[in-house]
Amino acid sequence: QEETAAAGIPGFAMVATCQGKCFLEHFEGTYCGIGDNNLPFHRDVVHRAYSFSKPVSATVVMQLYQEGLLDIDLPVQAYIPEFTGGGKDALTLRHFLTHSAGLPSLTSDVPTEAAWQAAIEEACAAEVEWEPGSRTPYHARSSLFVPAAVARIVSDNMTWAQLCRERLFEPLGMNSSYFDMPPRGTPLSITPQPDEAPTSWDDMEFGFLGHPSGGLLCTTEDMMRFLNMHLNKGRWGDVRILEEATWNEMMRVVYQDKIDAAIAAGETPTHDYWALGWLTRGETESGWFGFGSKLDPTAFGHAGINTVIGIGDPTRDLAFTYLTSDSPPSDEVTVRLRNEVSNFLADAVPVLR
């Protein structure tokens, strides 16, 4: 509370579960919504998840993978014939899911079907910026857009919002999660906060709407359902989203051998601890998302710009999210706050496994 207030953040949420049971649910301060930038923060507020969308989208891709509808190790051009040239011929969905494709600079948003098709054309015309697989600089948009584009193709071109709703949101009971426009009147936190709150629903800005890499809207409750499903190796209650073998493949750090070799040689690794859609803590002290220094190396998570983070630690059966209703004053403050939250919760929950 003191740290968040000192950073000038108007509101925040912290929610945590252990063994699937909530032991911390705290909402404090205010958020910006329609007509008012001083609304009381509460559990039903829907948040812009930004890049926390990536593991959500990756999970749907892996559902199709386990059903044999797509192969993450086939060249993308097997599904999109125009995706060729410019060093792209050997690119696979695994490259994109691990930020190693060498195409980090795609910029298209996809609020409409026409924009989606234009984004595919942009990807097909792009040239790789480094040898695929040689390093993992962050692919903000392309990392999940290209896999999602293939997922749509093998799913009779169902919209991304519909595909996620039918395969993931409805089975998990994520009833306040959207890749499309939420119902009018939904309490939606606008982050980062604008200078003036929108005066009507029609004036709302839905940044990244529909984008598999950043367009998810959801509540903290839905985030916790999703995190706990992954802590349970693809299962939530009686619902199985991923087979355990698929979940294991999704959680495997793809470039672990290259990281180990670089460390053994006294060099700085050129790869981060990416699994498929998830970043794991690995052997870092904090990780650039803010894993802290006390969670297990197998802890997995993802951030969403500087306002959202969600993490699961399998050894503690711990899941938590920390969200702010506005951006902290700097990236340094963002990471410091997240590290403190991660360490605080690691201290609060013993290792169980």
Side-chain angles (χ1 to χ4, degrees):
Q1 291 170 321
E2 292 172 359
E3 291 284 354
T4 305
I9 299 168
F12 73 94
M14 283 179 63
V15 182
T17 62
C18 181
Q19 296 181 303
K21 297 179 181 179
C22 184
F23 68 90
L24 170 64
E25 186 177 40
H26 185 82
F27 299 86
E28 182 157 323
T30 62
Y31 74 97
C32 178
I34 295 176
D36 196 340
N37 61 2
N38 200 38
L39 295 167
F41 217 6
H42 56 88
R43 73 190 310 269
D44 294 328
V45 171
V46 171
H47 306 267
R48 292 171 169 172
Y50 290 103
S51 285
F52 189 82
S53 308
K54 289 179 171 68
V56 173
S57 295
T59 299
V60 174
V61 171
M62 293 304 288
Q63 286 180 295
L64 298 170
Y65 164 79
Q66 74 183 1
E67 294 172 23
L69 296 175
L70 57 77
D71 187 336
I72 61 174
D73 292 310
L74 272 182
V76 173
Q77 63 179 274
Y79 303 98
I80 306 175
E82 299 80 10
F83 193 86
T84 186
K88 302 191 302 296
D89 290 6
L91 279 183
T92 67
L93 298 188
R94 191 183 295 272
H95 285 123
F96 284 98
L97 292 166
T98 54
H99 301 266
S100 63
L103 289 176
S105 301
L106 303 185
T107 60
S108 294
D109 288 330
V110 291
T112 65
E113 184 62 25
W116 185 282
Q117 296 305 318
I120 293 177
E121 293 175 7
E122 181 193 10
C124 290
E127 297 185 359
V128 298
E129 299 175 32
W130 62 76
E131 181 184 353
S134 63
R135 50 197 177 104
T136 60
Y138 194 59
H139 290 45
R141 286 175 170 82
S142 63
S143 59
L144 262 299
F145 173 71
V146 173
V150 171
R152 286 192 59 195
I153 289 169
V154 301
S155 301
D156 298 323
N157 284 312
M158 188 181 297
T159 68
W160 186 246
Q162 184 181 4
L163 190 59
C164 292
R165 184 180 306 114
E166 291 186 6
R167 285 191 163 270
L168 185 62
F169 300 160
E170 289 180 355
L172 276 186
M174 295 171 64
N175 298 322
S176 297
S177 293
Y178 315 94
F179 269 107
D180 50 7
M181 289 286 284
R184 283 178 175 264
T186 297
L188 178 66
S189 177
I190 306 169
T191 54
Q193 288 195 10
D195 292 334
E196 295 184 8
T199 58
S200 72
W201 188 258
D202 293 329
D203 293 330
M204 292 285 277
E205 292 290 338
F206 293 93
F208 298 113
L209 182 67
H211 204 297
S213 289
L216 176 67
L217 306 170
C218 65
T219 59
T220 55
E221 179 182 355
D222 285 1
M223 285 182 68
M224 299 308 293
R225 284 175 179 262
F226 178 71
L227 285 165
N228 274 286
M229 178 272 292
H230 275 285
L231 280 176
N232 287 312
K233 299 184 177 181
R235 191 184 190 101
W236 174 251
D238 295 330
V239 176
R240 179 162 288 283
I241 299 298
L242 297 175
E243 298 299 328
E244 189 167 337
T246 307
W247 180 86
N248 286 332
E249 180 64 16
M250 187 173 180
M251 289 299 183
R252 181 174 64 87
V253 177
V254 172
Y255 293 106
Q256 184 71 59
D257 58 339
K258 295 183 182 297
I259 295 170
D260 292 344
I263 292 173
E267 300 170 354
T268 300
T270 58
H271 297 80
D272 289 304
Y273 290 90
W274 284 108
L276 301 180
W278 291 110
L279 183 65
T280 66
R281 184 187 158 229
E283 300 299 332
T284 60
E285 280 298 308
S286 65
W288 47 285
F289 279 164
F291 279 100
S293 58
K294 299 181 179 182
L295 295 174
D296 192 77
T298 61
F300 58 87
H302 214 291
I305 61 168
N306 49 16
T307 59
V308 177
I309 192 167
I311 291 177
D313 183 340
T315 67
R316 292 174 167 83
D317 210 349
L318 167 70
F320 63 90
T321 183
Y322 169 62
L323 302 93
T324 59
S325 61
D326 200 2
S327 296
S330 68
D331 290 343
E332 290 75 17
V333 172
T334 297
V335 175
R336 178 174 60 80
L337 287 172
R338 289 172 175 172
N339 285 339
E340 290 179 1
V341 168
S342 297
N343 287 340
F344 171 74
L345 287 164
D347 285 339
V349 178
V351 173
L352 301 174
R353 299 175 182 172

